[in-house]
DNA sequence: CGGCGGCTTGAGGTTGGTCAAGGCATGTGG
DNA sequence: CCACATGCCTTGACCAACCTCAAGCCGCCG
């Protein structure tokens, strides 16, 4: 649950959000100072509390320092669709606060600490620091890749494949923020919520998990899931972890690549 | 099909991509000049040609001046999932070129004209023009909202609702780039492709369309679709057009809003 | 004129949703 | 400390929905 901290002179550098940005663009001292100012105040949110509510105006971003949340939308027909799981380093309010009103809700599913950034302050930050703005574009590209995989999951994969893909993705993302070991993790969602994420009913999620257990691909102990046969799972769920890791920004980390024109 | 052009002194300002950016951030002469340089060369692509192929490296962005394309992914089980329709002003290669290799393909479904921008040149542009970089973040937020709606569509909406939502969204997006009249449009996809977009089989898409025709909600003539009862369709498809239009960037177009801290 | 792609419709079968009941663990209040 | 309530997991039975397969048709283009 807790993100492992390694002590450095500047606590800002340890923040998962800053660490994420720095994977894409080298930030100078001015950038770091600006981020420190943005991140100075913390908000504590209890498990189960709504952070963004569909239909209401959202005036800023909430940068996640620790804890988990879910983005979701309630439908007229009584259904609920989970859009994504929010992890440390993620941004709540993207893209809600860029619109007149939020089109979905975000709820904490564990105790969280957040930093609130008014959208105006965020826009100023981007205007003043091109490196941060550019890193944010790279971040957004990663979010998009995640959502695209989710569309493929719910749209065209078979139920068993969906569940496997969802488990592997969740494990990989948790692991990337230090919240999972190499081959096991604590699933933060109930089976009903998993169903809401991948577009299945809770009983059917249960059937799929049972099948995976019988086949010896996973083991479950409460919410702890152990991945027993990673290779088989990756084939079954057609899971390529590459969509979770972006390139660094060229020209920042390395020399600009040669121009090439494709016709 | 063709984007209506109004003659101004600077053709760059008429480009749908530039017009899109300028809706979010006021660009100065330097920004416009930089964009002109980026957009100087055109690539013509024929209908049916692949622009990005899954699994291959993608080294740059293709900015769409005219024409349509689809992003899609082929699956092991023989299925195909359409991720989105690409319209004038959109960017092909987002997010593919931010990753080691493209995780899905993009194919022209009509004659297109594109501008190729190597990823390095794009990064330079962002670093040199914070306004363009910031507008790109706003653009990415819009893409994300689109994908989120698509996840909801395929995940939890009933088949009839899905088709209706897809029709309304496609119409609204086409209309926003001047490719549709107020209540009718040319559907650029076959029924099979619509099925691949919303996660249904082609026969079932056909049945849903027939039902809408019988109910008097739409009329079809070839690929032309007329929306006969917008209000009923919007309720049926639970369609809110608001997710298609973003706020402008605060502090650029207007004064920075008052700071507010929510705990 | 012939072929092909896409639309349309039907029949039949499987999948996966719904409903319902039971079990287990956790937490809470008496 | 126990009794009870609650939430979630688990399983089964049933049934409707949607997919698959297949055939026919139309319009377009070569």
């Amino acid at each position: 649950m807790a993100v492992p901290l390694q002590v450095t002179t500047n606590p800002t550098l340890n923040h998962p959000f800053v660490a994420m940005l720095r994977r894409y663009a080298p930030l100078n001292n001015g950038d770091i100072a600006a981020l420190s100012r943005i991140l100075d105040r913390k908000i504590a949110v209890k498990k189960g509390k709504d952070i963004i509510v569909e239909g209401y105006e959202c005036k800023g971003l909430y940068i996640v320092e620790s804890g988990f949340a879910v983005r979701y939308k309630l439908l007229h027909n009584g259904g609920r669709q989970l859009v994504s799981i929010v992890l440390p380093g993620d941004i709540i309010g993207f893209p809600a606060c860029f619109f007149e009103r939020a089109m979905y809700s975000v709820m904490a599913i564990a105790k969280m600490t957040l930093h609130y950034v008014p959208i105006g302050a965020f826009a100023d930050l981007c205007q003043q620091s091109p490196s941060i703005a550019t890193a944010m574009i790279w971040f957004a590209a990663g979010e998009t890749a995640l959502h695209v995989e989710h569309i493929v999951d719910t749209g065209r994969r078979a139920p068993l494949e969906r569940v496997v893909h969802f488990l592997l993705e969740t494990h990989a993302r948790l692991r990337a923020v230090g919240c999972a070991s190499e081959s096991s993790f604590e699933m933060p969602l109930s089976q009903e919520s998993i169903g809401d994420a991948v577009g299945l009913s809770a009983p059917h999620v249960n059937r799929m998990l049972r099948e995976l257990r019988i086949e010896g691909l996973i083991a479950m102990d409460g919410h702890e899931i152990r991945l027993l046969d990673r290779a088989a799972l990756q084939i079954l769920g057609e899971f390529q972890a590459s969509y979770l890791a972006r390139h660094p920004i060229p020209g920042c980390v390395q020399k600009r690549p040669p121009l090439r024109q494709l016709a």
Side-chain angles (χ1 to χ4, degrees), chain A:
Chain A
M1 190 73 70
V3 176
L5 290 180
Q6 49 183 128
V7 181
T8 72
T9 48
N10 188 339
T12 301
L13 298 180
N14 279 323
H15 196 287
F17 176 67
V18 178
M20 181 271 292
L21 291 180
R22 275 159 49 93
R23 271 204 295 279
Y24 306 125
L27 304 180
N28 63 33
N29 289 339
D31 299 327
I32 299 294
L35 287 169
S36 293
R37 253 171 276 128
I38 290 284
L39 299 171
D40 64 345
R41 251 177 307 179
K42 291 186 188 181
I43 303 173
V45 175
K46 288 180 192 157
K47 174 175 175 173
K49 193 183 169 197
D50 271 312
I51 299 162
I52 291 179
V53 178
E54 183 185 345
Y56 286 81
E57 188 178 0
C58 171
K59 294 186 159 73
L61 301 169
Y62 299 83
I63 293 168
V64 180
E65 182 177 81
S66 68
F68 307 134
V70 289
R71 290 183 244 261
Y72 66 94
K73 181 161 185 164
L74 266 14
L75 302 182
H76 291 155
N77 59 24
R80 183 176 78 139
Q81 177 65 44
L82 285 205
V83 173
S84 57
I85 305 180
V86 179
L87 303 185
D90 283 345
I91 302 176
I92 294 171
F94 182 91
C97 85
F98 296 83
F99 292 82
E100 202 182 327
R101 45 188 63 220
M103 60 288 288
Y104 51 79
S105 306
V106 180
M107 188 178 76
I109 56 172
K111 189 174 171 300
M112 307 188 83
T113 59
L114 311 174
H115 306 277
Y116 178 66
V117 183
I119 182 64
F122 174 75
D124 290 348
L125 179 68
C126 291
Q127 292 281 351
Q128 284 152 27
S129 168
S131 289
I132 291 176
T134 306
M136 278 295 301
I137 296 171
W138 259 247
F139 166 79
E143 289 284 289
T144 297
L146 222 45
H147 289 129
V148 166
E149 277 301 316
H150 203 160
I151 291 170
V152 174
D153 228 32
T154 55
R156 276 285 182 237
R157 276 197 249 264
L160 191 63
E161 299 168 14
R162 285 188 213 189
V163 171
V164 170
H165 193 275
F166 182 76
L167 293 182
L168 292 177
E169 177 181 302
T170 302
H171 172 252
R173 290 186 64 213
L174 285 170
R175 185 146 173 74
V177 293
C179 297
S181 68
E182 174 157 0
S183 64
S184 85
F185 65 106
E186 192 79 10
M187 166 56 64
L189 302 182
S190 68
Q191 292 183 6
E192 184 176 6
S193 292
I194 295 174
D196 288 338
V198 301
L200 297 171
S201 66
H204 209 61
V205 170
N206 188 282
R207 288 189 270 263
M208 298 299 102
L209 290 173
R210 189 206 327 170
E211 192 167 332
L212 292 174
R213 258 177 283 140
I214 290 172
E215 296 290 330
L217 299 179
I218 68 169
M220 290 167 56
D221 177 18
H223 273 195
E224 162 129 8
I225 294 182
R226 266 178 301 143
L227 308 174
L228 300 180
D229 189 342
R230 177 75 64 91
L233 288 168
Q234 287 188 348
I235 292 170
L236 182 55
E238 208 170 336
F239 178 76
Q240 296 282 357
S242 58
Y243 72 89
L244 299 170
R246 276 132 286 173
H247 268 164
I249 299 171
C252 293
V253 178
Q254 58 194 25
K255 272 301 174 202
R256 177 170 161 175
L259 294 185
R260 183 175 313 189
Q261 177 83 14
L262 295 180

